Amino acid sequence: MARITAGVTTSHVPAIGAALDHGKSGDDYWKPVFDGYEWTKKWIARERPDVVVLVFNDHATSFSLEMIPTFAIGCADSFAPADEGFGPRPVPRVQGHSDLAWHLAESLIRDEFDITIMNKLDVDHGLTVPMSLMFGQPEAWPVKVIPVAVNVVQFPPPTGNRCYALGEAIRRAVLAYDEDLDVQVWGTGGMSHQLQGPRAGLINAEFDAAFLDRLTADPEALRKLPHIEYLREAGSEGIEMVMWLIMRGALGEDVKELYRFYHVPASNTAVGHLVLEPAQ
């Protein structure tokens, strides 16, 4: 049977991908960011999953204001890097796990999550930057990926409680899949940042630290955090952190924190990163 072996959260700042793609990862500005992922790169080389369920948000590349699913799952055999206006990132095509993805779609819909099924989905930096942070720049990604896209771009996004419940439903679906697979669930986006308006550049390290603490030890409190609190404390783009609750819901009640990294700034964003393991 399939099992969930770990959860990972990470920011997916587009400038991180650009720094990698243009050979700037060793520059004084970027080196502290990439050094913060060295522990995880070694860990995941040892604990490599067969499949990653990767939760991210599309940034108006595959979706537009004409069509905005709250939740969508990629069921294709593979996914191309998206052209975000300056050409696709020079990273490998993402290989999917279609059988497990269709199983998840059916199970989630039976579990009353009306998730949109995507048989074609180009994936932007929200998905490819976390892959680069974990695996570097290989010729082929070493794991299969099931993309789960969440609307956090156009109001209203889903609540934290709904995201956590989706993670719980993903857990039930994975555990019911009749194939011997190690599955990780990644939640991406965040942490505090605001890209426009009078508060552009906002970073709230105190809120971010408390969010990381509660994500590990008290996720029930985060389930109740309203949208307005994300907006007030973490900025207009800080709402991306609700996606981390999908990862947390998929891990079960108790977890062990294996690694934490936090860095300010990367571009105009606070970078946060956790590696969690379900408690035995």
Side-chain angles (χ1 to χ4, degrees):
M1 303 293 284
R3 66 199 72 82
I4 293 176
T5 57
V8 173
T9 66
T10 181
S11 306
H12 58 214
V13 184
I16 292 176
L20 277 171
D21 299 342
H22 296 286
K24 297 183 180 297
S25 60
D27 289 3
D28 290 344
Y29 181 85
W30 287 110
K31 190 174 185 303
V33 175
F34 293 106
D35 283 352
Y37 286 84
E38 286 301 313
W39 183 93
T40 307
K41 290 169 74 173
K42 294 175 182 174
W43 166 80
I44 206 165
R46 299 190 308 269
E47 306 291 338
R48 183 158 297 166
D50 300 298
V51 184
V52 172
V53 177
L54 202 157
V55 182
F56 76 112
N57 65 289
D58 178 84
H59 300 76
T61 48
S62 287
F63 303 132
S64 73
L65 293 180
E66 295 177 346
M67 187 271 292
I68 309 169
T70 299
F71 298 117
I73 185 167
C75 293
D77 290 327
S78 66
F79 308 91
D83 185 344
E84 300 183 60
F86 39 84
R89 287 192 63 213
V91 295
R93 193 175 181 90
V94 175
Q95 300 302 313
H97 193 302
S98 184
D99 286 345
L100 178 57
W102 277 104
H103 167 80
L104 290 178
E106 179 178 353
S107 180
L108 293 175
I109 289 171
R110 288 181 183 274
D111 224 349
E112 302 185 356
F113 282 90
D114 301 323
I115 195 164
T116 300
I117 294 168
M118 303 295 296
N119 290 317
K120 181 180 185 305
L121 177 66
D122 291 347
V123 290
D124 67 16
H125 69 271
L127 188 144
T128 63
V129 165
M131 293 290 285
S132 295
L133 285 169
M134 304 304 156
F135 301 119
Q137 301 288 74
E139 292 186 3
W141 298 122
V143 298
K144 294 186 176 181
V145 175
I146 298 174
V148 173
V150 180
N151 168 41
V152 291
V153 173
Q154 172 65 52
F155 188 86
T159 64
N161 185 58
R162 188 66 170 159
C163 288
Y164 194 96
L166 176 60
E168 292 176 314
I170 289 173
R171 177 180 178 81
R172 288 190 290 272
V174 169
L175 297 182
Y177 187 65
D178 190 18
E179 186 180 343
D180 186 23
L181 292 176
D182 287 339
V183 178
Q184 291 185 3
V185 181
W186 297 3
T188 73
M191 298 195 76
S192 60
H193 62 300
Q194 177 153 335
L195 303 181
Q196 67 280 313
R199 297 203 307 163
L202 178 145
I203 287 175
N204 187 342
E206 183 177 354
F207 175 86
D208 291 341
F211 190 92
L212 293 171
D213 290 341
R214 288 190 289 178
L215 192 69
T216 299
D218 188 17
E220 288 295 324
L222 291 181
R223 295 180 74 157
K224 303 169 187 172
L225 197 69
H227 290 146
I228 191 64
E229 285 296 309
Y230 287 97
L231 181 64
R232 181 184 295 120
E233 300 295 336
S236 54
E237 279 68 39
I239 191 63
E240 290 180 350
M241 283 189 279
V242 296
M243 296 187 289
W244 294 25
L245 290 171
I246 296 175
M247 178 284 298
R248 185 62 183 85
L251 292 191
E253 185 174 346
D254 296 319
V255 297
K256 178 182 179 182
E257 183 175 317
L258 300 181
Y259 181 68
R260 179 188 296 206
F261 173 63
Y262 184 79
H263 177 81
V264 173
S267 184
N268 50 2
T269 304
V271 168
H273 171 45
L274 281 177
V275 178
L276 304 178
E277 182 179 75
Q280 299 299 317

